[in-house]
Amino acid sequence: MEVHGFWTALGPSDRAKITPLGTQRLYRRGEILCREGDPGGIVLVLIRGHARIITVTPDGREVLIAVRGSGDVVGELAAIDGGPRSATVEALDDVEALEVAGSRFAALCRREPEISWALLVVLSERLRDVGKQWLDLGGGAIARRVAAQLMQLAVQHGAQQGTDIEVVVPGTQAELAMTAAISRESWARVTRELRERGIISTGRRRLTIHRMDELRRLAR
């Protein structure tokens, strides 16, 4: 199992301080981990599986924002600032997560500088990646949505072929772009950049992901 993000940044002793505070829970594919607008009651560390981050536009369209995987933390912002959930988190496949009450997590971060530093590193990496996406792919939010959409396709429709992942794409470019709330032209531009960088290759209703780690980084 490949693990990334917050959990990886912690040492064994710091993980041991968090684990007793939480409860292990299994979410089935399609189940909601937390919903946009709800109070930020819990922080979740993803131990296994993938979850998608989605939001709803004022006109009612669902927009895919990012994909999180094993080792990532979600719900941390609401725990830090006490605000409502800024997005909905939905299991893309079966997800095992450690649920920690937001108040306990915030108190632990105030008490344990190594844990709060690890969280700060994760948040700064996410901000840095957004900035890099603006430079590399001409628009951070758009690039992240496309990468997240491709990650979602890989999880739901992909098959491992050696080091690559082969995906049968269940829709047209226009349909995928609509789901990501971007124009077809923007979708085409970003996927062209991804092809030029050797991250993916495409064919008629087929997609091959060659560098999953890079795609995952862009989707965060």
Side-chain angles (χ1 to χ4, degrees), residues 107-137:
L108 184 67
C109 287
R110 287 192 292 268
R111 188 170 66 247
E112 301 290 343
E114 293 297 326
I115 294 175
S116 60
W117 180 257
L119 182 62
L120 181 61
V121 168
V122 168
L123 296 177
S124 65
E125 285 177 349
R126 290 178 185 174
L127 288 173
R128 188 185 298 274
D129 284 344
V130 169
K132 189 174 188 303
Q133 290 166 39
W134 276 99
L135 294 174
D136 289 349
L137 298 176

Side-chain angles (χ1 to χ4, degrees), residues 5-160:
F6 177 68
W7 207 238
T8 302
L10 296 174
S13 62
D14 290 319
R15 294 182 193 178
K17 294 171 184 174
I18 297 176
T19 301
L21 300 180
T23 302
Q24 295 253 347
R25 180 170 174 186
L26 179 65
Y27 293 88
R28 297 299 183 186
R29 177 177 174 177
E31 193 172 352
I32 300 299
L33 282 69
C34 56
R35 194 175 298 276
E36 183 175 3
D38 285 352
I42 58 171
V43 175
L44 300 109
V45 179
L46 306 185
I47 305 301
R48 177 175 61 87
H50 300 81
R52 65 175 188 156
I53 313 298
I54 54 178
T55 188
V56 177
T57 63
D59 61 0
R61 287 180 300 154
E62 183 182 275
V63 177
L64 176 65
I65 300 299
V67 171
R68 302 282 184 243
S70 302
D72 278 326
V73 60
V74 297
E76 74 287 346
L77 294 181
I80 291 171
D81 63 15
R85 301 288 187 194
S86 59
T88 294
V89 182
E90 178 186 339
L92 271 178
D93 46 13
D94 287 351
V95 170
E96 182 183 346
L98 178 67
E99 292 187 351
V100 182
S103 57
R104 286 188 169 188
F105 185 81
L108 184 67
C109 287
R110 287 192 292 268
R111 188 170 66 247
E112 301 290 343
E114 293 297 326
I115 294 175
S116 60
W117 180 257
L119 182 62
L120 181 61
V121 168
V122 168
L123 296 177
S124 65
E125 285 177 349
R126 290 178 185 174
L127 288 173
R128 188 185 298 274
D129 284 344
V130 169
K132 189 174 188 303
Q133 290 166 39
W134 276 99
L135 294 174
D136 289 349
L137 298 176
I142 292 174
R144 185 168 64 254
R145 288 177 190 173
V146 172
Q149 184 78 284
L150 297 181
M151 279 284 298
Q152 175 174 307
L153 292 174
V155 171
Q156 294 182 326
H157 304 285
Q160 195 79 38

Side-chain angles (χ1 to χ4, degrees), residues 150-220:
L150 297 181
M151 279 284 298
Q152 175 174 307
L153 292 174
V155 171
Q156 294 182 326
H157 304 285
Q160 195 79 38
Q161 299 290 339
T163 59
D164 295 338
I165 296 178
E166 300 282 348
V167 181
V168 177
V169 180
T172 64
Q173 267 195 354
E175 290 168 340
L176 294 172
M178 184 180 299
T179 303
I182 61 176
S183 69
R184 183 181 182 279
E185 292 74 18
S186 294
W187 177 275
R189 186 186 71 247
V190 174
T191 53
R192 183 178 65 250
E193 293 283 352
L194 292 172
R195 286 196 303 270
E196 291 173 353
R197 294 171 61 181
I199 297 173
I200 66 171
S201 57
T202 57
R204 183 173 177 79
R205 289 295 179 97
R206 289 189 175 274
L207 165 76
T208 303
I209 300 173
H210 304 292
R211 294 162 54 193
M212 179 59 81
D213 281 350
E214 183 67 9
L215 191 65
R216 183 182 289 109
R217 186 188 68 78
L218 291 170
R220 291 176 186 275

